[in-house]
Amino acid sequence: MTFFLSHPPYLAPMKFATLLLLAPFAVLAQTKPAAPLLPPADPGIQKLADEISAKNLEANIRRLVAFGTRHTLSDTQSPTRGIGAARNYVRDEFLKYSRAGGGRLTVEMDTFTVQPDGRRISRPVLMANVLATLPGTDPTDTRVLLVSGHIDSRVSDVMNATADAPGANDDGSGTVLVMELARVLAGQKFPCTLKFVAVQGEEQGLYGSGHLAARAKKEGWNLVAMLNNDIVGNSHGFDPVINDGTRLRVFSEGTPANETPEQAKQRRQLSSENDGPSRQLARYTQRIGQLYGKGHQVVLTYRPDRSLRGGDHTPFNQQGFAAVRFTEMNEDYTHQHQDLRTEKGRAYGDVTEGVDFAYLRRNAGLNLATMASLALAPAAPAQVEVLTATLTNRTELRWQAPATGPRPAGYVVLVRATSAPQWQQRIPVAGLTANLPISKDNFIFGVASVDGAGHESVPVLPVVGR
Ligand SMILES: [Zn+2]
């Protein structure tokens, strides 16, 4: 190949060995100067992330905790106690943000009735997700982005609807994160639609997210990313005590829950079990963390959720959407799903004191930067294919412009070794094809759209084309 022709074998053996190690990427670097591994940071996005206020996050958690319990089966009539009052509070805050932002943020109670399920629902319950929508400004861009937290809380007995269940961290943290994003973004203009939701019924069986995911499917939302924030405000584990206020886990499924037998067959042939759309989204959030996190890191966790568990992203995965879960690095189980009590000198319960608001603020910033970056980027390219008709040691890719929104200014091909967790090379391309002097057998490729300012979409893994 070109590299070896232009570098004759009289190079010193040691130097040549070094070059061989670097060969696959050195070849790429030879034609053009190597592009940076990350797109350029947008100061506008950084500014928005910096507007997130730890004080607001704390004030809203204290308000939520003050409703006593937010158990799904709790009081809905009292103005001061129970899930009804809490839902109204979040709705009224959304409305306040809407007014302050020029009135474009619309707010709805997404209501639905759940019948007794023989498990965690003992009577018919009218539930409501509190949903705020910031419509896109480009009518040709159908994309929707969604960020969620769950408003309901619980104690040790999942059916106890009357005991105090502060739920400061689980999931007051996710709920106030969503509220704060809505506050900061309510006055902003993005080409595509942003949705902010506090779902109900998570603890009783993912009812609110299940309802919303089914609704998204039924109404044909072009939902390209769902970010579930559940337990994102505590920075220390208790057993052992580990303080870690600098990292946030992102959980993602490796292969789509709704994959067809045909897709499963190709996935097995190419061993792309680590590259489903949700995992691409997870990788994207880690790269966004590197751009805007100021040292705060997103840790890729190759699981759909914590061991044998699920969350509000799960129903979205089941409906075929890219959806991930953010959760703090070290959970404190003395604070989760616990009756408020002291036992052998240890305090139990999900109280406000267990939340680190500076940590929660950084996590909110990562969510905001992810949403804004996705919203400002063009939609991902369509029909991305790797050509396999002829046997070569090169890689030929082709794709089409996105089906929605403005035409991208260009594209980037992302490349990594088959065993590497994150992209290792980023190659800008102007047209709708790429012909790279590295073997498709040795690397994984993704193609993303970019706009003139460098905002980048989530990459799309190619399917086999002929
Ligand atoms: Zn939770």
Side-chain angles (χ1 to χ4, degrees):
M1 294 191 306
T2 329
F3 180 83
F4 297 103
L5 289 176
S6 61
H7 291 80
Y10 53 70
L11 287 166
M14 178 119 165
K15 197 172 173 192
F16 190 61
T18 312
L19 285 169
L20 271 179
L21 280 174
L22 296 170
F25 291 151
V27 170
L28 297 171
Q30 200 185 17
T31 42
K32 274 183 203 164
L37 196 47
L38 293 169
D42 176 343
I45 293 176
Q46 187 73 64
K47 186 171 171 286
L48 290 170
D50 290 346
E51 280 177 34
I52 293 167
S53 153
K55 263 196 180 137
N56 284 352
L57 293 166
E58 177 170 0
N60 277 328
I61 284 194
R62 289 190 185 281
R63 277 303 272 121
L64 290 177
V65 168
F67 293 111
T69 176
R70 305 188 305 280
H71 192 279
T72 284
L73 301 170
S74 66
D75 195 336
T76 56
Q77 302 306 312
S78 162
T80 54
R81 188 177 175 85
I83 186 78
R87 289 186 310 222
N88 290 344
Y89 173 69
V90 175
R91 178 199 59 197
D92 293 347
E93 284 295 297
F94 278 158
L95 287 169
K96 205 166 89 186
Y97 310 151
S98 177
R99 285 191 296 275
R104 288 172 38 252
L105 187 75
T106 61
V107 185
E108 67 178 288
M109 288 290 199
D110 172 40
T111 56
F112 55 100
T113 301
V114 177
Q115 298 301 328
D117 64 358
R119 289 179 64 246
R120 294 179 171 191
I121 299 292
S122 52
R123 56 175 168 80
V125 192
L126 181 66
M127 298 192 198
N129 300 322
V130 193
L131 177 64
T133 301
L134 185 67
T137 53
D138 181 346
T140 72
D141 192 337
T142 60
R143 291 176 303 150
V144 176
L145 310 173
L146 175 68
V147 62
S148 85
H150 72 82
I151 191 170
D152 58 307
S153 64
R154 60 168 286 191
V155 289
S156 304
D157 173 4
V158 69
M159 299 308 288
N160 186 340
T162 54
D164 275 352
N169 195 31
D170 184 10
D171 184 29
S173 62
T175 302
V176 303
L177 179 151
V178 167
M179 292 167 72
E180 187 63 0
L181 261 59
R183 183 187 73 80
V184 173
L185 297 178
Q188 298 297 313
K189 288 185 174 159
F190 295 102
C192 72
T193 296
L194 271 54
K195 287 180 181 286
F196 310 85
V197 69
V199 296
Q200 185 183 344
E202 195 271 353
E203 303 290 8
Q204 309 309 114
L206 309 179
Y207 281 104
S209 52
H211 166 78
L212 193 59
R215 180 181 156 187
K217 178 81 176 178
K218 190 170 156 229
E219 294 180 358
W221 296 6
N222 181 14
L223 180 62
V224 296
M226 187 276 186
L227 307 175
N228 170 26
N229 287 273
D230 196 351
I231 314 180
V232 287
N234 156 65
S235 57
H236 62 274
F238 75 107
D239 180 26
V241 176
I242 304 165
N243 292 309
D244 191 341
T246 62
R247 296 190 297 167
L248 175 68
R249 287 179 292 176
V250 62
F251 292 89
S252 60
E253 61 177 12
T255 61
N258 70 333
E259 132 186 295
T260 64
E262 195 49 44
Q263 288 167 333
K265 190 177 158 203
Q266 191 167 111
R267 185 247 306 160
R268 282 193 298 272
Q269 280 178 335
L270 296 173
S271 203
S272 46
E273 66 276 352
N274 195 19
D275 278 277
S278 295
R279 188 140 302 159
Q280 298 302 356
L281 175 59
R283 257 181 212 111
Y284 185 89
T285 70
Q286 188 183 53
R287 285 162 62 81
I288 290 298
Q290 289 160 1
L291 270 181
Y292 299 104
K294 299 179 178 175
H296 201 58
Q297 288 173 44
V298 175
V299 176
L300 293 173
T301 309
Y302 284 178
R303 291 212 162 98
D305 204 312
R306 296 104 82 230
S307 299
L308 308 180
R309 298 172 75 176
D312 290 320
H313 57 305
T314 310
F316 285 87
N317 286 156
Q318 287 162 346
Q319 297 286 359
F321 298 114
V324 298
R325 175 193 184 125
F326 288 118
T327 297
E328 65 204 22
M329 210 57 215
N330 303 287
E331 294 172 73
D332 186 339
Y333 299 104
T334 62
H335 289 179
Q336 276 179 39
H337 304 179
Q338 297 282 357
D339 289 334
L340 291 169
R341 67 191 191 281
T342 303
E343 242 173 56
K344 294 177 189 160
R346 192 191 279 282
Y348 289 82
D350 192 356
V351 294
T352 309
E353 290 66 36
V355 180
D356 174 343
F357 296 101
Y359 175 68
L360 176 55
R361 177 177 182 271
R362 292 191 287 275
N363 293 338
L366 288 171
N367 274 265
L368 185 147
T370 299
M371 282 190 103
S373 298
L374 280 173
L376 292 171
Q383 286 169 281
V384 182
E385 293 179 329
V386 56
L387 305 188
T388 55
T390 52
L391 288 175
T392 75
N393 291 328
R394 301 179 72 88
T395 300
E396 284 184 76
L397 299 165
R398 72 176 173 210
W399 57 88
Q400 293 188 6
T404 184
R407 227 183 153 72
Y411 300 88
V412 291
V413 177
L414 296 162
V415 184
R416 64 181 215 272
T418 57
S419 58
Q422 185 52 281
W423 301 111
Q424 297 172 312
Q425 181 92 349
R426 181 171 156 275
I427 307 161
V429 181
L432 297 170
T433 59
N435 187 337
L436 307 171
I438 50 173
S439 170
K440 56 194 161 293
D441 297 332
N442 302 344
F443 296 94
I444 294 170
F445 299 87
V447 183
S449 305
V450 290
D451 74 351
H455 301 111
E456 204 167 288
S457 74
V458 174
V460 179
L461 204 74
V463 297
V464 172
R466 302 271 168 201

mmCIF file of all heavy atoms in Angstrom, residues 1-31:
data_model
loop_
_atom_site.group_PDB
_atom_site.id
_atom_site.type_symbol
_atom_site.label_atom_id
_atom_site.label_comp_id
_atom_site.label_asym_id
_atom_site.label_seq_id
_atom_site.Cartn_x
_atom_site.Cartn_y
_atom_site.Cartn_z
ATOM 1 N N MET A 1 0.841 -1.198 0.000
ATOM 2 C CA MET A 1 0.000 0.000 0.000
ATOM 3 C C MET A 1 0.881 1.255 0.000
ATOM 4 O O MET A 1 2.079 1.165 0.219
ATOM 5 C CB MET A 1 -0.894 -0.027 1.236
ATOM 6 C CG MET A 1 -1.890 -1.185 1.174
ATOM 7 S SD MET A 1 -3.160 -1.094 2.434
ATOM 8 C CE MET A 1 -2.210 -0.967 3.913
ATOM 9 N N THR A 2 0.298 2.363 -0.219
ATOM 10 C CA THR A 2 1.000 3.632 -0.383
ATOM 11 C C THR A 2 2.094 3.855 0.660
ATOM 12 O O THR A 2 3.201 4.215 0.339
ATOM 13 C CB THR A 2 0.007 4.818 -0.247
ATOM 14 O OG1 THR A 2 -1.240 4.361 -0.716
ATOM 15 C CG2 THR A 2 0.492 6.005 -1.026
ATOM 16 N N PHE A 3 1.754 3.548 1.888
ATOM 17 C CA PHE A 3 2.671 3.815 2.997
ATOM 18 C C PHE A 3 4.012 3.134 2.777
ATOM 19 O O PHE A 3 5.065 3.746 2.880
ATOM 20 C CB PHE A 3 2.043 3.312 4.294
ATOM 21 C CG PHE A 3 2.916 3.541 5.484
ATOM 22 C CD1 PHE A 3 2.915 4.764 6.125
ATOM 23 C CD2 PHE A 3 3.757 2.546 5.935
ATOM 24 C CE1 PHE A 3 3.722 4.981 7.216
ATOM 25 C CE2 PHE A 3 4.575 2.763 7.026
ATOM 26 C CZ PHE A 3 4.551 3.990 7.671
ATOM 27 N N PHE A 4 3.946 1.855 2.414
ATOM 28 C CA PHE A 4 5.178 1.089 2.288
ATOM 29 C C PHE A 4 5.940 1.461 1.022
ATOM 30 O O PHE A 4 7.150 1.452 0.996
ATOM 31 C CB PHE A 4 4.859 -0.407 2.334
ATOM 32 C CG PHE A 4 4.261 -0.784 3.644
ATOM 33 C CD1 PHE A 4 2.899 -1.012 3.756
ATOM 34 C CD2 PHE A 4 5.049 -0.858 4.784
ATOM 35 C CE1 PHE A 4 2.351 -1.333 4.978
ATOM 36 C CE2 PHE A 4 4.505 -1.172 6.002
ATOM 37 C CZ PHE A 4 3.155 -1.406 6.111
ATOM 38 N N LEU A 5 5.228 1.827 -0.028
ATOM 39 C CA LEU A 5 5.897 2.253 -1.259
ATOM 40 C C LEU A 5 6.694 3.525 -1.019
ATOM 41 O O LEU A 5 7.793 3.688 -1.523
ATOM 42 C CB LEU A 5 4.861 2.494 -2.370
ATOM 43 C CG LEU A 5 4.214 1.225 -2.926
ATOM 44 C CD1 LEU A 5 3.142 1.581 -3.937
ATOM 45 C CD2 LEU A 5 5.281 0.323 -3.567
ATOM 46 N N SER A 6 6.138 4.438 -0.237
ATOM 47 C CA SER A 6 6.803 5.723 -0.062
ATOM 48 C C SER A 6 7.816 5.691 1.083
ATOM 49 O O SER A 6 8.513 6.643 1.318
ATOM 50 C CB SER A 6 5.768 6.819 0.193
ATOM 51 O OG SER A 6 5.061 6.510 1.368
ATOM 52 N N HIS A 7 7.870 4.596 1.822
ATOM 53 C CA HIS A 7 8.858 4.471 2.894
ATOM 54 C C HIS A 7 9.661 3.199 2.674
ATOM 55 O O HIS A 7 9.311 2.147 3.179
ATOM 56 C CB HIS A 7 8.171 4.427 4.268
ATOM 57 C CG HIS A 7 7.546 5.733 4.634
ATOM 58 N ND1 HIS A 7 6.337 6.123 4.151
ATOM 59 C CD2 HIS A 7 7.993 6.750 5.413
ATOM 60 C CE1 HIS A 7 6.033 7.327 4.624
ATOM 61 N NE2 HIS A 7 7.026 7.734 5.392
ATOM 62 N N PRO A 8 10.717 3.287 1.890
ATOM 63 C CA PRO A 8 11.487 2.083 1.534
ATOM 64 C C PRO A 8 12.064 1.378 2.752
ATOM 65 O O PRO A 8 12.237 2.003 3.803
ATOM 66 C CB PRO A 8 12.601 2.618 0.628
ATOM 67 C CG PRO A 8 12.632 4.094 0.837
ATOM 68 C CD PRO A 8 11.291 4.516 1.320
ATOM 69 N N PRO A 9 12.387 0.088 2.597
ATOM 70 C CA PRO A 9 12.765 -0.743 3.747
ATOM 71 C C PRO A 9 14.172 -0.490 4.273
ATOM 72 O O PRO A 9 14.659 -1.287 5.045
ATOM 73 C CB PRO A 9 12.624 -2.170 3.210
ATOM 74 C CG PRO A 9 12.741 -2.039 1.745
ATOM 75 C CD PRO A 9 12.277 -0.685 1.373
ATOM 76 N N TYR A 10 14.855 0.584 3.831
ATOM 77 C CA TYR A 10 16.177 0.841 4.425
ATOM 78 C C TYR A 10 16.088 1.586 5.746
ATOM 79 O O TYR A 10 17.064 1.927 6.359
ATOM 80 C CB TYR A 10 17.104 1.594 3.439
ATOM 81 C CG TYR A 10 16.530 2.867 2.859
ATOM 82 C CD1 TYR A 10 16.345 3.983 3.656
ATOM 83 C CD2 TYR A 10 16.177 2.932 1.516
ATOM 84 C CE1 TYR A 10 15.815 5.139 3.118
ATOM 85 C CE2 TYR A 10 15.647 4.088 0.981
ATOM 86 C CZ TYR A 10 15.462 5.201 1.783
ATOM 87 O OH TYR A 10 14.930 6.323 1.250
ATOM 88 N N LEU A 11 14.859 1.865 6.193
ATOM 89 C CA LEU A 11 14.689 2.475 7.521
ATOM 90 C C LEU A 11 15.272 1.555 8.586
ATOM 91 O O LEU A 11 15.225 0.336 8.448
ATOM 92 C CB LEU A 11 13.200 2.670 7.822
ATOM 93 C CG LEU A 11 12.489 3.796 7.064
ATOM 94 C CD1 LEU A 11 10.995 3.631 7.198
ATOM 95 C CD2 LEU A 11 12.928 5.147 7.612
ATOM 96 N N ALA A 12 15.818 2.143 9.608
ATOM 97 C CA ALA A 12 16.380 1.335 10.701
ATOM 98 C C ALA A 12 15.308 0.391 11.237
ATOM 99 O O ALA A 12 14.146 0.781 11.328
ATOM 100 C CB ALA A 12 16.878 2.250 11.810
ATOM 101 N N PRO A 13 15.668 -0.869 11.553
ATOM 102 C CA PRO A 13 14.686 -1.878 11.972
ATOM 103 C C PRO A 13 13.776 -1.398 13.106
ATOM 104 O O PRO A 13 12.578 -1.585 13.070
ATOM 105 C CB PRO A 13 15.553 -3.048 12.434
ATOM 106 C CG PRO A 13 16.870 -2.846 11.785
ATOM 107 C CD PRO A 13 17.029 -1.387 11.530
ATOM 108 N N MET A 14 14.374 -0.739 14.097
ATOM 109 C CA MET A 14 13.599 -0.321 15.251
ATOM 110 C C MET A 14 12.539 0.719 14.852
ATOM 111 O O MET A 14 11.378 0.607 15.195
ATOM 112 C CB MET A 14 14.549 0.294 16.269
ATOM 113 C CG MET A 14 13.815 0.784 17.467
ATOM 114 S SD MET A 14 14.312 -0.015 18.954
ATOM 115 C CE MET A 14 13.599 1.132 20.088
ATOM 116 N N LYS A 15 12.993 1.672 14.072
ATOM 117 C CA LYS A 15 12.088 2.729 13.622
ATOM 118 C C LYS A 15 10.970 2.113 12.765
ATOM 119 O O LYS A 15 9.807 2.468 12.863
ATOM 120 C CB LYS A 15 12.880 3.753 12.813
ATOM 121 C CG LYS A 15 12.152 5.066 12.642
ATOM 122 C CD LYS A 15 13.065 6.092 12.007
ATOM 123 C CE LYS A 15 12.294 7.352 11.680
ATOM 124 N NZ LYS A 15 13.071 8.241 10.833
ATOM 125 N N PHE A 16 11.355 1.155 11.936
ATOM 126 C CA PHE A 16 10.395 0.534 11.049
ATOM 127 C C PHE A 16 9.324 -0.212 11.859
ATOM 128 O O PHE A 16 8.135 -0.152 11.566
ATOM 129 C CB PHE A 16 11.118 -0.431 10.106
ATOM 130 C CG PHE A 16 10.224 -0.933 9.008
ATOM 131 C CD1 PHE A 16 9.654 -0.024 8.111
ATOM 132 C CD2 PHE A 16 9.947 -2.269 8.865
ATOM 133 C CE1 PHE A 16 8.831 -0.467 7.091
ATOM 134 C CE2 PHE A 16 9.116 -2.714 7.845
ATOM 135 C CZ PHE A 16 8.559 -1.815 6.948
ATOM 136 N N ALA A 17 9.777 -0.885 12.930
ATOM 137 C CA ALA A 17 8.826 -1.602 13.788
ATOM 138 C C ALA A 17 7.826 -0.635 14.404
ATOM 139 O O ALA A 17 6.629 -0.904 14.458
ATOM 140 C CB ALA A 17 9.585 -2.351 14.883
ATOM 141 N N THR A 18 8.329 0.515 14.843
ATOM 142 C CA THR A 18 7.438 1.527 15.421
ATOM 143 C C THR A 18 6.415 1.982 14.386
ATOM 144 O O THR A 18 5.227 2.099 14.652
ATOM 145 C CB THR A 18 8.265 2.745 15.885
ATOM 146 O OG1 THR A 18 9.357 2.267 16.634
ATOM 147 C CG2 THR A 18 7.424 3.687 16.729
ATOM 148 N N LEU A 19 6.909 2.210 13.182
ATOM 149 C CA LEU A 19 6.022 2.658 12.113
ATOM 150 C C LEU A 19 4.963 1.604 11.803
ATOM 151 O O LEU A 19 3.811 1.916 11.559
ATOM 152 C CB LEU A 19 6.837 2.963 10.848
ATOM 153 C CG LEU A 19 7.639 4.263 10.909
ATOM 154 C CD1 LEU A 19 8.608 4.330 9.747
ATOM 155 C CD2 LEU A 19 6.710 5.470 10.901
ATOM 156 N N LEU A 20 5.385 0.337 11.861
ATOM 157 C CA LEU A 20 4.426 -0.747 11.594
ATOM 158 C C LEU A 20 3.285 -0.723 12.604
ATOM 159 O O LEU A 20 2.128 -0.892 12.249
ATOM 160 C CB LEU A 20 5.135 -2.107 11.662
ATOM 161 C CG LEU A 20 5.742 -2.606 10.358
ATOM 162 C CD1 LEU A 20 6.425 -3.940 10.594
ATOM 163 C CD2 LEU A 20 4.695 -2.735 9.260
ATOM 164 N N LEU A 21 3.639 -0.483 13.859
ATOM 165 C CA LEU A 21 2.611 -0.422 14.908
ATOM 166 C C LEU A 21 1.610 0.687 14.616
ATOM 167 O O LEU A 21 0.423 0.555 14.835
ATOM 168 C CB LEU A 21 3.267 -0.165 16.270
ATOM 169 C CG LEU A 21 3.891 -1.385 16.945
ATOM 170 C CD1 LEU A 21 4.611 -0.947 18.198
ATOM 171 C CD2 LEU A 21 2.827 -2.423 17.275
ATOM 172 N N LEU A 22 2.128 1.780 14.097
ATOM 173 C CA LEU A 22 1.274 2.947 13.858
ATOM 174 C C LEU A 22 0.649 2.909 12.467
ATOM 175 O O LEU A 22 -0.164 3.745 12.129
ATOM 176 C CB LEU A 22 2.107 4.236 13.988
ATOM 177 C CG LEU A 22 2.681 4.498 15.377
ATOM 178 C CD1 LEU A 22 3.671 5.649 15.311
ATOM 179 C CD2 LEU A 22 1.572 4.833 16.367
ATOM 180 N N ALA A 23 1.053 1.908 11.661
ATOM 181 C CA ALA A 23 0.735 1.917 10.242
ATOM 182 C C ALA A 23 -0.721 2.228 9.895
ATOM 183 O O ALA A 23 -0.962 3.123 9.105
ATOM 184 C CB ALA A 23 1.180 0.618 9.609
ATOM 185 N N PRO A 24 -1.685 1.543 10.482
ATOM 186 C CA PRO A 24 -3.060 1.767 10.011
ATOM 187 C C PRO A 24 -3.468 3.231 10.088
ATOM 188 O O PRO A 24 -4.085 3.741 9.166
ATOM 189 C CB PRO A 24 -3.901 0.911 10.956
ATOM 190 C CG PRO A 24 -2.958 -0.117 11.482
ATOM 191 C CD PRO A 24 -1.625 0.538 11.530
ATOM 192 N N PHE A 25 -3.133 3.902 11.168
ATOM 193 C CA PHE A 25 -3.551 5.293 11.305
ATOM 194 C C PHE A 25 -2.565 6.231 10.613
ATOM 195 O O PHE A 25 -2.957 7.268 10.112
ATOM 196 C CB PHE A 25 -3.712 5.673 12.772
ATOM 197 C CG PHE A 25 -4.877 4.973 13.403
ATOM 198 C CD1 PHE A 25 -4.887 4.669 14.751
ATOM 199 C CD2 PHE A 25 -5.979 4.608 12.634
ATOM 200 C CE1 PHE A 25 -5.974 4.023 15.331
ATOM 201 C CE2 PHE A 25 -7.073 3.964 13.199
ATOM 202 C CZ PHE A 25 -7.064 3.671 14.546
ATOM 203 N N ALA A 26 -1.284 5.834 10.553
ATOM 204 C CA ALA A 26 -0.292 6.672 9.878
ATOM 205 C C ALA A 26 -0.669 6.824 8.415
ATOM 206 O O ALA A 26 -0.507 7.887 7.833
ATOM 207 C CB ALA A 26 1.088 6.047 10.014
ATOM 208 N N VAL A 27 -1.221 5.783 7.822
ATOM 209 C CA VAL A 27 -1.627 5.847 6.422
ATOM 210 C C VAL A 27 -2.652 6.955 6.242
ATOM 211 O O VAL A 27 -2.580 7.744 5.315
ATOM 212 C CB VAL A 27 -2.240 4.496 5.995
ATOM 213 C CG1 VAL A 27 -2.896 4.628 4.633
ATOM 214 C CG2 VAL A 27 -1.180 3.425 5.971
ATOM 215 N N LEU A 28 -3.587 7.015 7.155
ATOM 216 C CA LEU A 28 -4.638 8.032 7.061
ATOM 217 C C LEU A 28 -4.037 9.417 7.231
ATOM 218 O O LEU A 28 -4.396 10.347 6.542
ATOM 219 C CB LEU A 28 -5.687 7.789 8.138
ATOM 220 C CG LEU A 28 -6.434 6.471 8.002
ATOM 221 C CD1 LEU A 28 -7.285 6.242 9.226
ATOM 222 C CD2 LEU A 28 -7.279 6.481 6.757
ATOM 223 N N ALA A 29 -3.117 9.517 8.157
ATOM 224 C CA ALA A 29 -2.543 10.818 8.473
ATOM 225 C C ALA A 29 -1.709 11.343 7.307
ATOM 226 O O ALA A 29 -1.481 12.537 7.189
ATOM 227 C CB ALA A 29 -1.687 10.718 9.718
ATOM 228 N N GLN A 30 -1.302 10.424 6.453
ATOM 229 C CA GLN A 30 -0.394 10.814 5.374
ATOM 230 C C GLN A 30 -1.077 11.726 4.349
ATOM 231 O O GLN A 30 -0.471 12.658 3.863
ATOM 232 C CB GLN A 30 0.089 9.541 4.694
ATOM 233 C CG GLN A 30 1.350 9.745 3.901
ATOM 234 C CD GLN A 30 1.706 8.485 3.160
ATOM 235 O OE1 GLN A 30 0.885 7.605 2.992
ATOM 236 N NE2 GLN A 30 2.926 8.399 2.720
ATOM 237 N N THR A 31 -2.335 11.420 4.030
ATOM 238 C CA THR A 31 -3.020 12.190 2.994
ATOM 239 C C THR A 31 -3.374 13.596 3.476
ATOM 240 O O THR A 31 -3.234 14.556 2.762
ATOM 241 C CB THR A 31 -4.298 11.449 2.538
ATOM 242 O OG1 THR A 31 -4.951 10.929 3.697
ATOM 243 C CG2 THR A 31 -3.957 10.326 1.592
#
